[in-house]
Amino acid sequence: MKFIDLLGRFVFNFLLATGRFGLFTAQTIRYMFTPPFYYKQLLTQLIEIGFYSLPVVALTTLFAGMVIALQTYTGFSQFSSEGPVSLVVLISVTRELAPVMAGLMVAGRIGASMAAELGTMRVTEQIDALSTLSTNPIKYLIVPRVLAGILMLPVLVLIGDIIGICGGYLIGIYKLEFNATTYLVNTWTYLKTMDIVSGLTKAAVFGFIITILGCYNGYNSKGGAQGVGAATTNAVVSASILILIFNYILTELFFNA
Amino acid sequence: MLFSKKILSKTPKIRLSNLYKSFGRKHVLQGVNLDIYPGESLVIIGGSGTGKSVTLKCILGLMEPDAGEIEIDGQKVTHLSEKAREKVNAKMGMLFQGAALFDSLTVWENVAFGPMQTQRITKKDAKKLAIEKLALVGLTKDVADIYPASLSGGMKKRVGLARAIAGNPDIIFFDEPTTGLDPIMSDVINDLIITTTKKLGATALTITHDMTSARKIADRIAMLYNGKIIWIGSVKELDKTKDPYVRQFVAGSANGPILTQAKVEK
Ligand SMILES: Nc1ncnc2c1ncn2[C@@H]1O[C@H](COP(=O)(O)OP(=O)(O)OP(=O)(O)O)[C@@H](O)[C@H]1O
Ligand SMILES: [Mg+2]
């Protein structure tokens, strides 16, 4: 009896939380298309997400591209020439590594800071203050952040694609001593629009996941500093898990359907 | 309940009738009835956790009451559309307990935030307006360009007050305006509350547990206990009342009918 009671409560709470999150998401999406729009807030967030995440994304994708080149060479020695190595680097970086790496890095940076900032605004009543000053807090705080995430992640991933491929190239030329021209020509001929487009689509989805979860957790945090800490952790962990799940689903949709 | 005839004849600025609000099994408001008249300064006193802030949040539309009606200028404001709510809120200003200044904006941007949202004014005019309002609360324009993080508690309260009055509201709410301030700064804030509300001719609703402050700024005092307004009257009447709850609260004594053990129901 006790078990059933507990289970019932768990299911109820889960459904309640899902419903709340769904409502929050629906409201955010609706407000994306209803004025007033806060362009200045959007610009600040675009810079915050795009510009300041560049170093981490560049570093992670660079090393990801390098390690893939190395692994392809050592792991599949019978295929190790310019052709296969450049192909494997190209496909894995554009389809998987750049979006996932950028997604996870930005989840750690931006998801956490959004949750912490909005959480602090919640517990210090700044969000309530916005409402009393005739400003809708979802329009003013949430919409610019989510929009900036959707817009900026693809840009970051595109840059990550280029840097990751360069990483593979560096290893190929300087360590594996491939012919530079052949490697570049191979990369160019193997390059397919679909690989890039699928990666950028993933990036936009991840940008949405990261920002909406960061915002939701921060916006609804309660219970002082501890609550804000919990919101930050939840934002990063849930976004990271969802990124990996959606990465699989999107790959399935793009390449297997 | 006693209040003067002069007040009775007007329609109330704010009327709370039979307000109920619960959080899970915690019944915070259990039938609050209160009329606040134009131009008066009403103070709600009551212990920690009795629902003073919840009452205020219901009036401001930050929370929906479970049952009951709230009227502002005779207009029912529960279940309003978003647009209509924003219009009602434009009549009101609020000084939050911790001032709730926006960290990411400078002092003047904080003060001019409301007018910049609702009216189309240029940045220059907004800053001029902010500096005017800052002068009203005794701050010079030196503070206009700094960020709230570097202000002391008393200065934050002043900036919060300047922000609350920047939109020339009809009604101003003060949530524990003197909590956490030294006695002298408290008195300064009390004086500012009196002068700024008088200057605007605004109705003021203050919640506090600081009796010195309550006596100074109140025309009438109401006591919230157990989810209801159990007493209401002028400062003079407060000193003469035989109500044991009010007397205990005013005396600040641990002995009396008020339950001091915090009831934690989970
Ligand atoms: N959003 C909320 N969710 C759950 N419980 C809440 C919420 N807001 C307030 N409460 C509860 O309602 C009760 C009344 O809270 P309120 O903040 O109104 O007290 P208060 O009278 O303002 O006290 P204080 O003088 O300490 O500020 C408290 O017990 C509080 O725990
Ligand atoms: Mg309170």
Side-chain angles (χ1 to χ4, degrees):
Chain A
M1 232 31 224
K2 188 129 195 204
F3 173 73
I4 291 174
D5 189 44
L6 269 177
L7 187 74
R9 200 168 295 175
F10 174 79
V11 170
F12 177 76
N13 282 337
F14 178 77
L15 289 179
L16 199 70
T18 316
R20 272 207 201 111
F21 178 67
L23 205 66
F24 181 83
T25 310
Q27 226 168 8
T28 305
I29 293 172
R30 187 161 66 84
Y31 286 150
M32 279 179 189
F33 303 100
T34 42
F37 305 110
Y38 295 97
Y39 299 105
K40 212 179 137 204
Q41 307 301 313
L42 179 64
L43 189 68
T44 315
Q45 294 304 323
L46 286 173
I47 293 170
E48 181 62 37
I49 298 178
F51 187 70
Y52 292 110
S53 301
L54 253 183
V56 265
V57 171
L59 264 172
T60 47
T61 48
L62 176 73
F63 279 97
M66 284 163 64
V67 86
I68 283 296
L70 200 59
Q71 282 288 17
T72 314
Y73 182 75
T74 54
F76 307 92
S77 49
Q78 64 268 47
F79 308 121
S80 41
S81 65
E82 287 87 349
V85 170
S86 64
L87 177 63
V88 171
V89 167
L90 185 71
I91 288 187
S92 42
V93 166
T94 54
R95 287 187 185 181
E96 301 292 334
L97 287 174
V100 171
M101 286 287 174
L104 292 178
M105 286 299 127
V106 175
R109 251 197 97 241
I110 299 297
S113 82
M114 279 182 183
E117 190 183 359
L118 294 177
T120 308
M121 290 187 78
R122 167 63 72 197
V123 299
T124 56
E125 298 184 305
Q126 290 177 53
I127 293 179
D128 288 342
L130 274 177
S131 301
T132 67
L133 295 166
S134 302
T135 304
N136 183 315
I138 295 191
K139 280 185 195 166
Y140 185 79
L141 295 171
I142 312 298
V143 168
R145 285 173 166 77
V146 175
L147 267 182
I150 298 173
L151 293 174
M152 254 5 224
L153 255 266
V155 175
L156 284 171
V157 167
L158 192 62
I159 296 170
D161 283 347
I162 296 166
I163 293 175
I165 290 168
C166 288
Y169 172 82
L170 289 177
I171 292 296
I173 303 311
Y174 294 103
K175 191 166 162 67
L176 311 178
E177 297 178 340
F178 289 155
N179 179 300
T181 326
T182 324
Y183 190 97
L184 282 179
V185 169
N186 275 326
T187 302
W188 186 249
T189 44
Y190 289 136
L191 188 68
K192 280 209 213 93
T193 322
M194 191 56 185
D195 294 336
I196 307 283
V197 167
S198 71
L200 298 189
T201 311
K202 283 180 176 181
V205 173
F206 297 167
F208 179 74
I209 291 175
I210 295 164
T211 47
I212 197 83
L213 283 169
C215 289
Y216 177 76
N217 281 292
Y219 194 80
N220 292 298
S221 65
K222 46 184 149 229
Q226 207 180 2
V228 176
T232 310
T233 315
N234 277 344
V236 177
V237 172
S238 55
S240 305
I241 293 172
L242 278 184
I243 283 174
L244 293 174
I245 293 175
F246 272 84
N247 183 52
Y248 179 80
I249 295 173
L250 289 170
T251 301
E252 189 76 53
L253 283 178
F254 272 114
F255 299 105
N256 235 352
Chain B
M1 277 189 252
L2 321 134
F3 37 91
S4 63
K5 291 219 176 75
K6 182 182 73 190
I7 282 174
L8 256 180
S9 58
K10 301 184 203 166
T11 49
K13 195 83 188 161
I14 305 174
R15 163 168 280 172
L16 311 180
S17 28
N18 250 326
L19 222 53
Y20 282 81
K21 180 78 188 172
S22 304
F23 297 101
R25 264 177 263 168
K26 186 183 265 165
H27 306 296
V28 180
L29 304 183
Q30 304 177 54
V32 172
N33 288 296
L34 187 63
D35 285 350
I36 303 165
Y37 292 93
E40 81 166 324
S41 166
L42 188 115
V43 172
I44 299 180
I45 57 173
S48 290
T50 48
K52 303 185 298 294
S53 297
V54 169
T55 309
L56 218 55
K57 283 185 179 162
C58 285
I59 301 174
L60 282 161
L62 301 171
M63 271 181 195
E64 282 280 323
D66 299 335
E69 252 332 313
I70 300 169
E71 284 168 42
I72 292 174
D73 288 324
Q75 181 198 2
K76 288 183 180 169
V77 297
T78 35
H79 317 292
L80 276 186
S81 76
E82 223 172 280
K83 274 246 170 70
R85 181 78 239 183
E86 269 173 28
K87 230 177 223 154
V88 172
N89 275 6
K91 287 195 249 183
M92 310 197 278
M94 162 96 181
L95 173 58
F96 285 87
Q97 199 161 340
L101 301 176
F102 305 125
D103 302 314
S104 56
L105 301 178
T106 60
V107 165
W108 82 261
E109 286 170 325
N110 262 285
V111 174
F113 192 92
M116 283 207 292
Q117 299 301 322
T118 51
Q119 307 152 22
R120 305 215 151 179
I121 53 172
T122 63
K123 213 171 160 181
K124 214 169 141 199
D125 288 340
K127 188 163 184 180
K128 219 171 90 192
L129 176 93
I131 289 171
E132 263 167 43
K133 299 294 171 185
L134 285 170
L136 284 181
V137 298
L139 292 173
T140 58
K141 64 170 181 237
D142 304 336
V143 297
D145 286 305
I146 60 178
Y147 284 90
S150 47
L151 297 176
S152 72
M155 275 165 101
K156 278 185 189 157
K157 282 273 161 79
R158 290 193 201 207
V159 176
L161 180 58
R163 185 175 72 181
I165 61 173
N168 297 324
D170 278 351
I171 309 168
I172 315 181
F173 301 96
F174 302 95
D175 191 351
E176 309 201 6
T178 56
T179 306
L181 300 180
D182 68 67
I184 295 168
M185 186 51 81
S186 295
D187 204 49
V188 171
I189 296 289
N190 287 336
D191 281 335
L192 284 174
I193 288 174
I194 295 168
T195 52
T196 50
T197 48
K198 285 275 142 61
K199 212 165 264 173
L200 288 168
T203 309
L205 174 59
T206 309
I207 57 185
T208 188
H209 18 220
D210 174 356
M211 284 313 299
T212 321
S213 169
R215 280 171 201 282
K216 184 148 184 183
I217 62 184
D219 294 325
R220 286 195 300 153
I221 294 180
M223 175 147 169
L224 187 63
Y225 179 71
N226 240 341
K228 287 195 173 81
I229 299 290
I230 57 159
W231 187 88
I232 189 162
S234 67
V235 178
K236 257 193 207 143
E237 286 161 347
L238 182 79
D239 292 323
K240 281 186 266 168
T241 184
K242 298 226 163 58
D243 187 296
Y245 293 93
V246 179
R247 291 189 59 153
Q248 186 193 346
F249 191 86
V250 170
S253 158
N255 303 316
I258 296 176
L259 294 172
T260 43
Q261 246 154 340
K263 282 191 289 185
V264 180
E265 294 162 59
K266 269 242 157 134

